[in-house]
């Protein structure tokens, strides 16, 4: 018993740990790096050899696979190194401490990345979590929760990724949520979605194990480094990205004393430059891209909308006020070809001042400004993100400073048939089709009011006619009943019949409905149960959509009434 079948395919965590001669922390770390996770057996009691105690199980073949991992030896060497270092510190042998630190055992994860992702497309498909984690760690404060080097590395990789997205103009969707900002880019045909937290002060939660997160980040930083390198090569760009010597010298001269570390100033310069001064490698378009260009020429019609979206902000010169989030707005505007700047006292990299007469839009987030220029629009930050999601420049009137903003709709929600579609989404779709929504709405409202008036008049006249006919028919019936009761012979009249026109559409619908009813009657019991469940789900969806539509109507009616009251006052 328990010597064959599923009982021999699994191994408990403790047994696996002892087999590898690793501590629990090192075993967990190794499993994260190698991408090996626990499995829930189908027959848990059989695998657990009759016991019902809660245990974590791994596949035996996975643990055998770990036995030959070279990193396991490095973990053991590191344990010996820590023991020797502790002893040297205890004996105050500082030369031994220095010697041991210089000979600290190190390991690389390059072979694991190649092992887990045999092709580049595989790595791109799995990069979503890695990007989100790197962007999260790049916002951490330099407390004792994680190493400063990790934070700096994550910041560098995230800036390099953003620069690639700007250069390739591959951003497609943006959504501002409570968690942070969701971005979606299309890289080599793969949709990649990642989350960037807001730049707020961090309050580290106590119930989060930062060691586990740091292990994931250790792997993801290696993976992202590989991915960035390949992507920069595909665009024929130098990696790691370098600024032109002139631009670098100018920025260093201006802001030499503002940053404590060279790495910090370099990262800030890179994020501010946004790829306008970044060096290209000598040579033309790579061969891989040349093939892609030929394929794209065959699909030009499909790409027209995409090309228009990529040039969404071309020709615009945008200035960011100091109260708006600088990095996300600069990133999004540059991704679509716009020029952007900010106050030089706020951050390095500002290319033009607020007094520049050629500025077309100024992004503000305060209701009143001291000084305003006539030749530019003052809009709120949501205008930029909503334009990206709508794939066109939306009218600025709805986004002026101090105006109540329209709802920020998620571009990741795709409505199906029968779902509730908000009026704002319908307006956006109408704008995409090239229709003028506001005028159309006002005309429709006027027409509806006129139609209602005319309908009321027609209904009144029709009701009167119907009443007269009914009264005359009732009188005739009463006379005929009297004549019958008195025994008199009724006057027989032959009246010409009226031709009743058949409605073909109506008859077809009735026939289809009857066929459907008969088909349902002929169903088997199981099929009938399944059909009822499907129909119940559809009806519930319709009910929910109707409920939302009714709520929206009530909301719109109340807002209209309030506006009328204010107008009267």
């Amino acid at each position: 018993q328990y010597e064959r079948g599923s009982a021999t395919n699994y191994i408990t965590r403790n047994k696996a740990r002892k087999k590898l001669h690793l501590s629990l922390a090192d075993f967990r770390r190794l499993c994260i790096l190698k991408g090996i996770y626990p499995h829930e057996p189908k027959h848990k009691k059989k695998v657990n050899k009759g016991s019902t105690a809660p245990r974590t199980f791994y596949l035996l073949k996975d643990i055998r696979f770990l036995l030959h991992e070279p990193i396991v030896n490095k973990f053991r060497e590191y344990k010996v190194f820590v023991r020797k270092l502790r002893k040297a510190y205890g004996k105050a042998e500082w030369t031994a401490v220095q010697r041991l630190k210089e000979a600290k055992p190190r390991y690389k994860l390059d072979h694991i990345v190649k092992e887990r992702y045999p092709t580049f497309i595989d790595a791109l498909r799995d990069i979503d979590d890695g990007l989100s984690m790197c962007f999260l760690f790049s916002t951490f404060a330099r407390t004792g929760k994680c190493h400063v080097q990790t934070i700096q590395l994550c910041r560098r990789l995230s800036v390099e990724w953003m620069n690639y997205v700007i250069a390739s103009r591959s951003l497609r969707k943006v959504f501002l949520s409570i968690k942070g900002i969701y971005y979606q880019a299309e890289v080599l045909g793969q949709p990649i979605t990642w989350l960037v937290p807001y730049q707020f002060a961090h309050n580290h939660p106590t119930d989060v194990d930062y060691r586990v997160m740091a292990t994931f980040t250790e792997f993801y930083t290696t993976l992202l480094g590989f991915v960035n390198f390949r992507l920069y090569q595909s665009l024929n760009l130098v990696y790691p990205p370098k600024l032109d010597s002139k631009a670098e010298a100018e920025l260093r001269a201006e802001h030499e004393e503002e940053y404590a570390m060279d790495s910090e100033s370099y990262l800030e310069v890179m994020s501010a430059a946004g790829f306008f001064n970044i060096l290209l490698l000598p040579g033309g378009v790579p061969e891989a891209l040349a093939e892609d260009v030929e394929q794209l020429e065959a699909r030009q019609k499909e790409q027209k909308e995409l090309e228009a979206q990529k040039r969404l902000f071309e020709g615009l010169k945008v200035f960011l006020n100091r109260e708006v989030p600088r990095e996300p707005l600069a990133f999004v505007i540059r991704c679509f070809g716009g020029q952007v700047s900010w106050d030089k006292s706020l951050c390095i990299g500002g290319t033009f001042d607020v007094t520049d007469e050629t500025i077309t839009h100024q992004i503000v987030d305060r209701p009143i400004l001291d000084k305003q220029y006539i030749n530019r629009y003052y809009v709120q930050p949501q205008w930029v993100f909503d334009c990206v999601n709508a794939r066109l420049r939306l009218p600025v009137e709805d986004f002026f400073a101090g105006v109540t903003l329209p709802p920020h709709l998620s571009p990741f929600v795709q409505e199906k048939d029968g779902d509730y579609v908000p009026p704002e989404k319908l307006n956006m779709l109408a704008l995409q089709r090239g229709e003028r929504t506001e005028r159309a709405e006002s005309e429709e409202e006027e027409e509806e009011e006129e139609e209602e008036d005319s309908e009321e008049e027609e209904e009144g006249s029709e009701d009167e006619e119907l009443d007269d006919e009914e009264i005359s028919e009732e009188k005739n019936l009463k006379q005929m009943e009297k004549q019958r009761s008195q025994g008199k012979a009724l006057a027989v009249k032959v009246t010409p019949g009226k031709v009743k026109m058949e409605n073909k559409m109506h008859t077809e619908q009735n026939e289809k409905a009857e066929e459907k009813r008969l088909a349902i009657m002929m169903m088997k019991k199981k099929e009938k149960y399944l059909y009822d469940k499907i129909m119940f789900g559809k009806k519930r969806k319709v009910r929910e959509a109707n409920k939302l539509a009714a709520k929206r109507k009530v909301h719109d009616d109340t807002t209209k009434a309030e506006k009328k009251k204010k107008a009267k006052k």
Side-chain angles (χ1 to χ4, degrees):
Q1 199 181 8
Y2 309 124
E3 288 181 4
R4 59 181 180 175
S6 59
T8 57
N9 293 336
Y10 294 91
I11 187 170
T12 61
R13 189 174 66 179
N14 274 340
K15 281 185 180 178
R17 208 168 50 75
K18 285 171 185 172
K19 199 178 184 85
L20 292 163
H21 301 287
L22 289 173
S23 64
L24 182 60
D26 284 344
F27 176 73
R28 189 182 286 136
R29 197 166 163 203
L30 181 65
C31 287
I32 289 168
L33 293 174
K34 293 286 283 183
I36 286 164
Y37 298 98
H39 286 263
E40 188 73 20
K42 200 173 183 182
H43 305 289
K44 202 170 181 182
K45 196 173 179 183
K46 195 184 284 184
V47 171
N48 214 357
K49 296 180 179 175
S51 172
T52 54
R55 283 199 178 97
T56 308
F57 292 98
Y58 288 83
L59 284 170
L60 188 62
K61 63 176 183 180
D62 288 346
I63 302 304
R64 283 178 182 157
F65 172 63
L66 290 178
L67 284 167
H68 307 289
E69 179 53 48
I71 286 180
V72 175
N73 292 327
K74 289 288 180 183
F75 284 171
R76 289 168 188 153
E77 285 174 23
Y78 189 78
K79 201 179 279 183
V80 172
F81 159 77
V82 169
R83 194 167 62 238
K84 284 180 179 177
L85 192 67
R86 196 179 289 128
K87 196 181 282 183
Y89 266 116
K91 291 180 178 178
E93 294 174 353
W94 307 119
T95 51
V97 167
Q98 191 63 33
R99 180 174 47 78
L100 284 166
K101 280 185 177 178
E102 285 170 5
K104 183 181 175 181
R106 302 177 194 282
Y107 59 87
K108 286 187 175 182
L109 303 176
D110 302 2
H111 66 285
I112 295 178
V113 170
K114 289 174 187 174
E115 196 177 87
R116 285 179 66 174
Y117 306 107
T119 64
F120 183 55
I121 295 296
D122 292 332
L124 277 180
R125 283 178 189 145
D126 206 35
I127 201 70
D128 297 20
D129 291 337
L131 279 170
S132 298
M133 192 69 88
C134 283
F135 273 96
L136 173 66
F137 266 70
S138 68
T139 59
F140 279 177
R142 284 164 187 190
T143 57
K145 290 287 180 186
C146 57
H147 296 294
V148 175
Q149 291 86 353
T150 308
I151 295 168
Q152 285 177 346
L153 178 61
C154 288
R155 175 67 180 155
R156 180 174 71 78
L157 291 168
S158 57
V159 166
E160 285 169 4
W161 170 262
M162 286 197 292
N163 282 336
Y164 167 77
V165 173
I166 291 168
S168 60
R169 297 207 182 175
S170 51
L171 192 68
R172 296 288 172 270
K173 294 175 182 177
V174 191
F175 180 58
L176 309 173
S177 74
I178 296 167
K179 289 181 184 178
I181 305 171
Y182 284 92
Y183 295 103
Q184 190 178 82
E186 195 177 328
V187 179
L188 303 181
Q190 298 297 322
I192 295 168
T193 309
W194 72 98
L195 175 64
V196 179
Y198 296 115
Q199 295 286 334
F200 295 140
H202 267 286
N203 182 21
H204 290 289
T206 52
D207 57 341
V208 174
D209 192 345
Y210 280 89
R211 287 174 302 176
V212 173
M213 285 175 69
T215 310
F216 274 106
T217 308
E218 186 183 0
F219 175 73
Y220 286 142
T221 48
T222 311
L223 173 62
L224 193 55
F226 272 101
V227 169
N228 283 349
F229 173 71
R230 282 290 300 274
L231 291 174
Y232 273 58
Q233 268 195 330
S234 71
L235 288 181
N236 206 28
L237 295 166
V238 172
Y239 186 83
K242 292 176 184 176
L243 291 165
D244 285 344
S245 54
K246 283 184 184 177
E248 196 168 2
E250 284 171 15
L251 284 163
R252 283 223 169 183
E254 282 181 31
H255 307 279
E256 202 168 2
E257 297 175 0
E258 290 192 16
Y259 292 92
M261 298 167 73
D262 285 340
S263 57
E264 277 187 2
S265 61
Y266 173 72
L267 285 173
E268 291 303 321
V269 169
M270 285 302 305
S271 64
F275 245 98
F276 290 109
N277 301 314
I278 289 173
L279 289 171
L280 286 168
L281 282 169
V285 180
E287 289 176 14
L289 275 184
E291 290 172 13
D292 290 343
V293 169
E294 287 173 13
Q295 290 174 2
L296 287 171
E297 282 173 4
R299 297 181 295 164
Q300 269 182 347
K301 289 180 182 178
E302 294 175 17
Q303 294 293 324
K304 271 187 180 179
E305 286 183 13
L306 193 61
E307 291 301 319
Q309 189 191 4
K310 285 180 181 179
R311 296 191 299 272
L312 186 63
F313 295 134
E314 263 186 17
L316 298 189
K317 211 169 180 180
V318 184
F319 187 85
L320 306 177
N321 254 32
R322 38 186 327 120
E323 70 272 8
V324 300
R326 180 185 60 82
E327 196 167 276
L329 282 167
F331 171 59
V332 171
I333 292 164
R334 281 173 174 163
C335 278
F336 296 96
Q339 290 183 2
V340 64
S341 184
W342 47 85
D343 194 347
K344 286 179 181 176
S345 63
L346 179 67
C347 187
I348 59 176
T351 50
F352 48 88
D353 290 323
V354 70
T355 53
D356 193 335
E357 294 291 331
T358 57
I359 292 170
T360 56
H361 294 73
Q362 188 167 337
I363 311 294
V364 297
D365 203 9
R366 55 178 77 173
I368 299 162
L369 289 166
D370 298 332
K371 190 178 180 182
Q372 292 191 3
Y373 293 82
I374 300 167
N375 61 344
R376 70 179 71 160
Y377 293 114
Y378 290 86
V379 291
Q380 295 183 57
Q382 192 182 316
W383 177 77
V384 175
F385 303 114
D386 283 0
C387 286
V388 172
N389 295 334
R391 297 184 181 184
L392 53 92
R393 289 186 205 168
L394 293 171
V396 290
E397 299 86 39
D398 299 335
F399 300 91
F400 281 149
V403 173
T404 305
L405 291 166
H408 178 57
L409 301 171
S410 171
F412 298 100
V413 175
Q414 297 295 328
E415 286 87 2
K416 296 174 188 173
D417 291 337
D419 287 352
Y420 170 71
V421 183
E424 288 80 16
K425 187 77 177 274
L426 294 171
N427 288 349
M428 190 181 76
L429 293 169
L431 281 168
Q432 284 175 351
R433 290 192 299 270
E435 297 172 9
R436 292 183 181 180
T437 54
E438 291 179 357
R439 287 183 183 179
E441 282 176 2
S442 61
E443 285 171 4
E444 282 173 6
E445 283 174 2
E446 288 171 4
E447 285 173 5
E448 281 173 4
E449 286 173 0
E450 288 171 4
E451 282 173 6
E452 282 172 5
D453 294 337
S454 60
E455 280 173 7
E456 283 173 4
E457 290 171 5
E458 286 172 7
E459 282 171 7
S461 61
E462 283 173 6
D463 289 342
E464 286 172 6
E465 289 173 10
L466 287 167
D467 290 342
D468 293 338
E469 286 176 9
E470 284 171 6
I471 289 161
S472 61
E473 280 180 12
E474 281 177 8
K475 281 180 180 178
N476 289 334
L477 286 166
K478 280 178 183 177
Q479 282 178 0
M480 287 165 76
E481 282 174 9
K482 277 182 183 179
Q483 284 175 359
R484 274 180 188 166
S485 60
Q486 290 169 5
K488 291 179 181 178
L490 296 169
V492 179
K493 286 181 183 179
V494 178
T495 54
K498 289 178 182 178
V499 179
K500 192 176 181 183
M501 297 293 289
E502 280 190 12
N503 190 347
K504 288 183 179 179
M505 288 283 288
H506 189 63
T507 52
E508 278 179 17
Q509 283 175 0
N510 285 343
E511 283 174 9
K512 282 180 182 176
E514 186 64 21
E515 283 173 12
K516 192 177 179 182
R517 191 178 68 80
L518 291 169
I520 292 164
M521 282 172 67
M522 294 299 290
M523 274 182 184
K524 292 175 185 175
K525 198 173 182 181
K526 277 186 181 178
E527 290 171 355
K528 181 75 166 60
Y529 176 73
L530 184 64
Y531 175 78
D532 289 341
K533 293 278 279 183
I534 291 164
M535 292 309 294
F536 177 76
K538 283 183 177 178
K539 284 174 184 175
R540 183 171 59 189
K541 195 182 274 187
V542 169
R543 279 201 305 273
E544 286 171 1
N546 291 339
K547 200 182 284 183
L548 288 168
K551 277 184 180 179
R552 182 59 194 246
K553 193 175 182 300
V554 170
H555 175 264
D556 289 345
D557 291 342
T558 50
T559 49
K560 278 181 185 177
E562 284 173 7
K563 280 180 183 176
K564 281 180 182 177
K565 281 181 184 178
K566 284 179 183 177
K568 284 177 183 178
K569 286 179 183 178

